[in-house]
Amino acid sequence: MPGPEAMQRQLVQQQAGEVFMEWLAENWFSVLIGIVFVGMHMFGHGGHGGHGGGGHGGHSAPDKSENDPDRRSGHRH
């Protein structure tokens, strides 16, 4: 049988988990928006124009496929 310190530690961990789950249930939408925000900035903006000017590598070197006649025209970054 575990000692009183181990039982108290387990009780505190259980209570902390319950508090976190309650907080998450109340704030799930904000957490979801935060995850989407971080994901969009890490993995791209889905072609909506991104940030103006330079950034994300800039436009210093021409794209190798720019002169390719088979390349479709369209939006690019």
Side-chain angles (χ1 to χ4, degrees), residues 44-75:
H45 291 278
H48 71 70
H51 299 285
H56 299 299
H59 298 283
S60 59
D63 188 9
K64 290 181 181 180
S65 64
E66 233 176 82
N67 298 325
D68 187 3
D70 296 329
R71 190 179 141 272
R72 295 185 299 170
S73 64
H75 181 81

Side-chain angles (χ1 to χ4, degrees), residues 8 13 16-18 25 29 32-35 37 46-47 49-50 53 61 65 68-69 75:
Q8 184 179 9
Q13 288 175 347
E18 290 174 1
F29 188 73
L32 177 66
I33 294 298
I35 291 170
F37 178 82
S65 64
D68 187 3
H75 181 81

Side-chain angles (χ1 to χ4, degrees), residues 17-66:
E18 290 174 1
V19 168
F20 174 73
M21 291 304 290
E22 183 178 332
W23 178 87
L24 188 60
E26 292 175 2
N27 297 294
W28 67 269
F29 188 73
S30 297
V31 172
L32 177 66
I33 294 298
I35 291 170
V36 169
F37 178 82
V38 169
M40 290 290 282
H41 281 84
M42 287 180 68
F43 303 112
H45 291 278
H48 71 70
H51 299 285
H56 299 299
H59 298 283
S60 59
D63 188 9
K64 290 181 181 180
S65 64
E66 233 176 82

